[in-house]
Amino acid sequence: MRDEFRADLHLVSQLLVDMAEATRSAMRQATRALLTADRQAAETVIERDAEIDELYRHVEERVCDLLARQSPVASDLRAMITALHVAADLERMGDLADHVAKTALRRHPSPAVPAELRPIFTDMATIADRMAEKIASVLAKPDADIAAELDRDDDAMDDLHRSLFGVLLGADWPYGVETAIDATLLGRFYERFADHAVNAGEHVVYLITGETAASPN
Amino acid sequence: MRDEFRADLHLVSQLLVDMAEATRSAMRQATRALLTADRQAAETVIERDAEIDELYRHVEERVCDLLARQSPVASDLRAMITALHVAADLERMGDLADHVAKTALRRHPSPAVPAELRPIFTDMATIADRMAEKIASVLAKPDADIAAELDRDDDAMDDLHRSLFGVLLGADWPYGVETAIDATLLGRFYERFADHAVNAGEHVVYLITGETAASPN
């Protein structure tokens, strides 16, 4: 019974790693769509969001099946609930990549991001990618130190988010309201992506160390 | 055992109703803060967000305790997982009310919303309030018809969201980029509040009818 539980738990972890990798890949492609007006990349992200949703449903089904068959308690039960949280965060990260791709597509063939903002979005995307990579990594091989780095990554993302508003509100912003609205929403998508990565990381840390995660954000 | 489970489940439902009511009250007050530059209302919402987070933790603890003690299967297990989903949506709705309140506070004593946009935000807030009320109502007394109305409310919210961009992008928008950024984010907060209400409603419908909820949004 115990070995069977371990095997089932391993399968759930593997599904979560698959979700994290799919989410990472989606945000990478969405960023490419955004920064190079790559229509096909945008369409791929949008099409493949359903696959991430499907993985989410698989995690839920497997967890429910496991709860029903094995009635885990204590840390095993905690692992199951944590898996549901992490899956929910990853599913939402996939949605945010989808939103970035849709914004790119809406402006295509024009670029949604003007030259002045490209360095900021390039940096935001780099951090988002690093965070998704860390989630995949700690899910595959638990490491509380790596998970804790996500907080620092999130601080860097918040700094970039503030710089973005600095540019938008600068006296010499030449692009008018429509471009500012796009940039505001895009900034929020990357920032929320990072928030969900932090949440997912906190859940994994909780699983590894037993220490309570900070309040949700 | 069965009676004990029913009593525990009832307690979880009551916590969810409390969360829905707290969320509704938070968004009402956040809207007042926004539309009447009411500083105290904004501060109250921000302070009390911790109470909603605390209710969320109570739901989780109680569900985990129940899973461990009673090992429910089939529809009872489904009810537990659904409670977790609904609690997560309500917790996030509380965060969004908090974001509206913080936006109001950041601009205080100036109004964050200019006269041209007040009718749209007033209508968005009315719909948000109606949706939160319906969630509280179907949690207290399951009713698939009321839950299904949430989809129509969400359509109305999406229409308002589109009108908002119409005003922001109109040739005669006189307020510049900063006010447009605030309005963009505020519009997103109300729209996301509605999305989470729809999700919560779908989970309740699933619980009542056994029909699968649509994909997450």
Side-chain angles (χ1 to χ4, degrees), chain B residues 145-214:
Chain B
D145 291 338
I146 291 181
E149 285 173 26
L150 290 164
D151 264 338
R152 288 198 293 279
D153 293 328
D154 190 44
D155 289 342
M157 184 68 93
D158 289 344
D159 286 344
L160 286 166
H161 200 209
R162 271 186 291 273
S163 322
L164 173 64
F165 288 123
V167 177
L168 295 178
L169 298 174
D172 50 351
W173 173 252
Y175 295 100
V177 169
E178 184 164 19
T179 305
I181 288 175
D182 275 350
T184 298
L185 290 173
L186 287 165
R188 179 130 186 105
F189 299 152
Y190 283 98
E191 188 242 331
R192 288 296 299 154
F193 188 93
D195 285 345
H196 283 287
V198 169
N199 276 359
E202 281 171 353
H203 285 297
V204 178
V205 170
Y206 175 59
L207 199 59
I208 304 169
T209 66
E211 280 170 32
T212 311

Side-chain angles (χ1 to χ4, degrees), chain A residues 52-113:
Chain A
I52 298 178
D53 293 348
E54 188 64 23
L55 282 168
Y56 181 36
R57 273 187 289 273
H58 281 183
V59 172
E60 282 229 336
E61 279 163 23
R62 204 156 270 279
V63 166
C64 282
D65 179 58
L66 224 156
L67 289 172
R69 278 190 301 107
Q70 308 245 15
S71 306
V73 294
S75 67
D76 290 346
L77 176 56
R78 197 175 69 184
M80 295 292 88
I81 301 297
T82 299
L84 292 180
H85 278 297
V86 173
D89 281 314
L90 292 170
E91 187 276 326
R92 187 70 200 140
M93 288 163 76
D95 285 345
L96 291 161
D98 172 89
H99 293 354
V100 170
K102 281 181 177 152
T103 306
L105 208 54
R106 200 164 57 237
R107 297 287 166 244
H108 191 272
S110 304
V113 170

Side-chain angles (χ1 to χ4, degrees), chain A residues 110-133:
Chain A
S110 304
V113 170
E116 283 84 343
L117 295 178
R118 294 174 63 88
I120 292 179
F121 280 105
T122 302
D123 289 350
M124 283 182 135
T126 301
I127 294 175
D129 188 59
R130 193 195 303 159
M131 293 177 88
E133 184 187 16

Side-chain angles (χ1 to χ4, degrees), chain A residues 53 56-57 60 63-65 67-68 71-74 77 81 84-85 91-92 95-96 99 165 168-169 173 176-178 180-181 184-185 188-189 192 214-217, chain B residues 53 56-57 60 63-65 67-68 71-74 77 81 84-85 91-92 95-96 99 165 168-169 173 176-178 180-181 184-185 188-189 192 214-217:
Chain A
D53 293 348
Y56 181 36
R57 273 187 289 273
E60 282 229 336
V63 166
C64 282
D65 179 58
L67 289 172
S71 306
V73 294
L77 176 56
I81 301 297
L84 292 180
H85 278 297
E91 187 276 326
R92 187 70 200 140
D95 285 345
L96 291 161
H99 293 354
F165 288 123
L168 295 179
L169 298 174
W173 173 252
V177 170
E178 184 163 19
I181 289 175
T184 298
L185 290 173
R188 181 133 184 102
F189 299 151
R192 289 296 300 155
S215 48
N217 63 14
Chain B
D53 292 348
Y56 180 36
R57 274 188 288 273
E60 282 229 337
V63 166
C64 282
D65 178 59
L67 289 172
S71 305
V73 294
L77 176 58
I81 301 298
L84 292 180
H85 278 298
E91 188 276 325
R92 187 72 199 140
D95 285 345
L96 291 162
H99 293 354
F165 288 123
L168 295 178
L169 298 174
W173 173 252
V177 169
E178 184 164 19
I181 288 175
T184 298
L185 290 173
R188 179 130 186 105
F189 299 152
R192 288 296 299 154
S215 47
N217 64 13

Side-chain angles (χ1 to χ4, degrees), chain B residues 127-150:
Chain B
I127 294 174
D129 187 60
R130 192 194 304 157
M131 293 177 89
E133 184 187 17
K134 282 176 188 166
I135 294 294
S137 156
V138 295
L139 284 166
K141 187 167 173 292
D143 182 330
D145 291 338
I146 291 181
E149 285 173 26
L150 290 164

Side-chain angles (χ1 to χ4, degrees), chain B residues 10-138:
Chain B
H10 183 73
L11 259 172
V12 170
S13 295
Q14 189 52 52
L15 282 171
L16 292 176
V17 172
D18 292 348
M19 278 189 88
E21 284 171 354
T23 297
R24 183 186 179 201
S25 161
M27 197 46 127
R28 285 174 86 110
Q29 287 204 72
T31 300
R32 188 163 72 233
L34 187 70
L35 296 180
T36 67
D38 180 337
R39 185 184 188 98
Q40 204 186 337
E43 285 169 348
T44 303
V45 173
I46 294 162
E47 275 164 34
R48 298 192 64 179
D49 187 46
E51 293 174 26
I52 298 176
D53 292 348
E54 188 63 24
L55 282 167
Y56 180 36
R57 274 188 288 273
H58 280 183
V59 172
E60 282 229 337
E61 279 163 21
R62 205 158 270 280
V63 166
C64 282
D65 178 59
L66 223 156
L67 289 172
R69 279 191 300 108
Q70 307 245 16
S71 305
V73 294
S75 67
D76 291 345
L77 176 58
R78 197 174 69 182
M80 297 291 88
I81 301 298
T82 299
L84 292 180
H85 278 298
V86 172
D89 281 314
L90 292 170
E91 188 276 325
R92 187 72 199 140
M93 288 163 77
D95 285 345
L96 291 162
D98 173 88
H99 293 354
V100 170
K102 281 181 176 151
T103 306
L105 208 55
R106 202 164 55 235
R107 298 286 167 245
H108 190 273
S110 304
V113 170
E116 283 83 346
L117 295 178
R118 294 174 63 88
I120 291 179
F121 280 105
T122 302
D123 289 350
M124 282 183 135
T126 302
I127 294 174
D129 187 60
R130 192 194 304 157
M131 293 177 89
E133 184 187 17
K134 282 176 188 166
I135 294 294
S137 156
V138 295

